[in-house]
Amino acid sequence: MAHTFRGCSLAFMFIITWLLIKAKIDACKRGDVTVKPSHVILLGSTVNITCSLKPRQGCFHYSRRNKLILYKFDRRINFHHGHSLNSQVTGLPLGTTLFVCKLACINSDEIQICGAEIFVGVAPEQPQNLSCIQKGEQGTVACTWERGRDTHLYTEYTLQLSGPKNLTWQKQCKDIYCDYLDFGINLTPESPESNFTAKVTAVNSLGSSSSLPSTFTFLDIVRPLPPWDIRIKFQKASVSRCTLYWRDEGLVLLNRLRYRPSNSRLWNMVNVTKAKGRHDLLDLKPFTEYEFQISSKLHLYKGSWSDWSESLRAQTPEEEPTGMLDVWYMKRHIDYSRQQISLFWKNLSVSEARGKILHYQVTLQELTGGKAMTQNITGHTSWTTVIPRTGNWAVAVSAANSKGSSLPTRINIMNLCEAGLLAPRQVSANSEGMDNILVTWQPPRKDPSAVQEYVVEWRELHPGGDTQVPLNWLRSRPYNVSALISENIKSYICYEIRVYALSGDQGGCSSILGNSKHKAPLSGPHINAITEEKGSILISWNSIPVQEQMGCLLHYRIYWKERDSNSQPQLCEIPYRVSQNSHPINSLQPRVTYVLWMTALTAAGESSHGNEREFCLQGCLFS
């Protein structure tokens, strides 16, 4: 942008000069303006400007009536009565300054006599950092340099190149901002050690200066073209047998390769000598998209590297999975003879899966008989079946891609909460920032050293125990007594949290409700029925919709008061239980009509009241 502005300013200056020269015959008919010592001066110099009238060009031929005025651009700087005016000017700025001489006669407009431009600048500084390069074996030699400060004057640059057998090439540039020239010649590798010398000289009206000579050989300045036609092959579709191919210019001796997974910022670098357009890569990861680039050089120690090639992106083949699935399960009794087993497992990490998982194989076996009872293939990360409540059962789950299967994860199905002495103690769940819950506990009463691991399990709390609600879990080492759960945690949702302590084929558990964020419920329970039972009443209600609970409910409150009474209502507070939806009240008076309603409370506060219902114990006569 700065170069564009300066270029436009220079063009504007030249246009003004040309217009002034073109108009000089008309503008200077009455007199002349002379400048000494020169129209081009060094910054800080003084100039003398003289304006003189030609014979019989004054006011009424009387010199005392001639008033000559000197303008610097449009500002008056001096005047004199007579046929001539002399003015000494100092402190002119860099660039071009225009002076105009005018004649003022009595009772008439000023008449332009003549004008002159003065160009203020500096001699060129010595060009620095001259360097030359030839792009490719068939390219041409071009050189760049640093001009130094602007001269603000017309400056000519001459670039000269001398070679073997007294050969000389020369190019000129007449742009004051010139810092690049291309000789248009090609150096060949016939004498790769022959010396060439380049020098640039800057010349203007105030002086000249030459750069230090830059001496180089063919190998020093030829920068190869970037490699092209890059491709990769995997023999027998194996990531361990990978070869990268490319094409190079004929004299290339050294290559450097860089490659990285597409989602990484860090490059792996490899330098190879005499590769001849191929190199084997042995450390690529399976089923990973990589980016590859190659650069070239003609000599081990001389010259410069080419630009990096265009990127090649390619995905490596799959390999057999290496990881093992993290499997968890739930048991639910159906009746006296059957139980439902729900298995859940987490996806393998990308590095473990080493390909696209196509399906999972689940094997269910009754250990006593040693016979595989059920085998199933599923594309989901869960599986549910019904088995007898008798016998010892085990499951094995493995993941498969196009190259094979992971090692199976084997677990024995047991009653995870059967051993009361293994139950973790003092379990608590507290909000820990946005969408995080910190679960803490104390080791079980039984010898804590018997615990092999803890499992913390959580799922959204749904009245009725909906088994379709997604299950989440994490495993914790036996010496840990806390876990931060954050996966699939949402604000204003209550979670049922269980902590299991596992030891061999035994387990104990404790549970608690927790939420990451809460506020007062949006509504109270809806009373759907009031029935009379032996002098008391039983109130039944519908649960508050989960999306309106706004966290974990702690209590229900049942309010009642006599109809049309202004007294404060009585209330009964009930601890919240997931499965509870009815409660008896036995303090109502017979034959009195009451109004009843309910609210719900979280740790943040109480909801608005739900619907109102009227009831009269032992019947009433309504008017």
Side-chain angles (χ1 to χ4, degrees), residues 160-176:
Q160 182 175 307
L161 179 65
S162 302
K165 301 178 183 178
N166 296 322
L167 290 174
T168 302
W169 298 270
Q170 187 169 290
K171 266 293 182 75
Q172 287 185 329
C173 176
K174 298 181 180 180
D175 179 355
I176 64 172

Side-chain angles (χ1 to χ4, degrees), residues 4-187:
T4 303
F5 177 75
R6 291 199 295 265
C8 292
S9 300
L10 184 63
F12 183 65
M13 181 181 73
F14 287 156
I15 290 171
I16 291 176
T17 304
W18 177 77
L19 290 174
L20 286 171
I21 294 172
K22 185 175 183 299
K24 184 173 179 63
I25 296 175
D26 294 330
C28 297
K29 287 194 307 182
R30 293 176 177 273
D32 294 299
V33 172
T34 59
V35 178
K36 292 182 179 180
S38 173
H39 283 265
V40 180
I41 63 172
L42 183 66
L43 178 66
S45 299
T46 300
V47 292
N48 291 307
I49 302 174
T50 301
C51 175
S52 57
L53 291 170
K54 292 179 179 180
R56 296 186 296 278
Q57 294 299 322
C59 302
F60 310 108
H61 311 293
Y62 295 102
S63 63
R64 67 178 180 274
R65 294 177 181 240
N66 297 332
K67 183 180 179 181
L68 294 174
I69 307 170
L70 184 63
Y71 285 88
K72 178 182 176 181
F73 291 114
D74 57 354
R75 184 171 64 87
R76 181 184 297 189
I77 63 170
N78 202 357
F79 69 90
H80 182 71
H81 292 278
H83 279 88
S84 65
L85 176 153
N86 293 306
S87 185
Q88 189 178 70
V89 179
T90 61
L92 292 178
L94 288 168
T96 304
T97 304
L98 176 64
F99 293 89
V100 177
C101 181
K102 294 184 179 181
L103 173 64
C105 299
I106 297 173
N107 298 326
S108 66
D109 294 334
E110 293 179 356
I111 302 169
Q112 182 167 311
I113 302 302
C114 197
E117 284 183 317
I118 297 177
F119 303 97
V120 180
V122 294
E125 292 185 332
Q126 183 184 45
Q128 301 289 326
N129 299 325
L130 174 64
S131 65
C132 301
I133 190 172
Q134 176 176 306
K135 291 186 177 181
E137 296 174 17
Q138 305 303 318
T140 56
V141 179
C143 300
T144 61
W145 59 91
E146 294 176 8
R147 299 185 313 273
R149 65 176 177 173
D150 290 338
T151 64
H152 295 272
L153 298 175
Y154 173 84
T155 303
E156 184 175 275
Y157 290 86
T158 301
L159 181 64
Q160 182 175 307
L161 179 65
S162 302
K165 301 178 183 178
N166 296 322
L167 290 174
T168 302
W169 298 270
Q170 187 169 290
K171 266 293 182 75
Q172 287 185 329
C173 176
K174 298 181 180 180
D175 179 355
I176 64 172
Y177 304 114
C178 179
D179 56 9
Y180 169 87
L181 277 172
D182 190 328
F183 280 111
I185 62 167
N186 168 258
L187 300 188

Side-chain angles (χ1 to χ4, degrees), residues 532-551:
E532 183 176 344
E533 294 183 356
K534 299 180 181 180
S536 65
I537 63 171
L538 182 68
I539 301 176
S540 302
W541 61 85
N542 296 331
S543 298
I544 302 173
V546 172
Q547 65 273 18
E548 296 182 9
Q549 292 181 13
M550 308 312 291

Side-chain angles (χ1 to χ4, degrees), residues 247-263:
R247 295 178 63 190
D248 250 330
E249 292 190 289
L251 297 177
V252 166
L253 179 66
L254 185 65
N255 290 103
R256 58 181 179 179
L257 287 62
R258 67 180 187 181
Y259 55 97
R260 63 182 177 185
S262 295
N263 60 357

Side-chain angles (χ1 to χ4, degrees), residues 290-527:
Y290 279 90
E291 179 183 5
F292 303 88
Q293 287 186 315
I294 310 172
S295 178
S296 304
K297 200 165 176 275
L298 299 186
H299 194 274
L300 290 176
Y301 312 111
K302 295 183 178 182
S304 58
W305 288 99
S306 74
D307 293 332
W308 288 103
S309 67
E310 293 185 1
S311 291
L312 169 69
R313 293 181 181 271
Q315 181 166 286
T316 55
E318 295 187 1
E319 295 288 344
E320 188 176 68
T322 59
M324 294 178 65
L325 294 167
D326 182 358
V327 181
W328 191 236
Y329 64 96
M330 291 178 59
K331 288 175 60 176
R332 186 172 69 88
H333 294 318
I334 298 176
D335 52 35
Y336 69 93
S337 63
R338 297 179 304 157
Q339 60 183 339
Q340 177 180 284
I341 304 297
S342 296
L343 296 171
F344 306 88
W345 52 90
K346 297 182 180 181
N347 291 321
L348 294 174
S349 67
V350 173
S351 60
E352 293 173 326
R354 307 210 301 176
K356 181 181 179 180
I357 299 301
L358 302 176
H359 61 260
Y360 300 93
Q361 180 168 313
V362 183
T363 302
L364 178 66
Q365 185 177 20
E366 203 285 310
L367 297 177
T368 305
K371 182 179 179 182
M373 298 294 294
T374 305
Q375 286 191 335
N376 187 272
I377 300 296
T378 178
H380 303 290
T381 56
S382 63
W383 183 69
T384 298
T385 189
V386 176
I387 60 175
R389 291 180 61 178
T390 58
N392 297 320
W393 297 86
V395 293
V397 187
S398 59
N401 63 18
S402 64
K403 291 296 185 71
S405 299
S406 66
L407 292 174
T409 299
R410 304 180 187 276
I411 56 174
N412 294 327
I413 302 298
M414 61 181 178
N415 189 338
L416 293 169
C417 296
E418 187 173 36
L421 292 178
L422 275 176
R425 297 177 296 118
Q426 300 177 24
V427 176
S428 66
N430 298 292
S431 174
E432 189 77 8
M434 182 65 72
D435 298 339
N436 293 290
I437 301 175
L438 179 64
V439 183
T440 61
W441 61 89
Q442 292 297 316
R445 289 187 177 88
K446 188 176 181 180
D447 183 8
S449 62
V451 177
Q452 295 173 337
E453 72 170 336
Y454 292 104
V455 176
V456 181
E457 170 195 290
W458 67 98
R459 63 191 306 193
E460 290 186 24
L461 180 64
H462 279 259
D466 185 357
T467 58
Q468 301 302 313
V469 177
L471 185 71
N472 307 276
W473 72 95
L474 60 80
R475 299 179 184 273
S476 183
R477 297 183 184 277
Y479 50 78
N480 288 336
V481 289
S482 67
L484 184 68
I485 59 176
S486 57
E487 184 181 359
N488 298 325
I489 296 293
K490 295 179 283 190
S491 298
Y492 308 118
I493 296 295
C494 186
Y495 292 88
E496 182 180 10
I497 302 169
R498 290 178 181 268
V499 182
Y500 298 89
L502 304 182
S503 175
D505 58 354
Q506 291 185 318
C509 73
S510 298
S511 64
I512 195 172
L513 301 180
N515 48 239
S516 68
K517 199 172 183 181
H518 53 245
K519 57 185 178 182
L522 300 181
S523 63
H526 181 88
I527 299 174

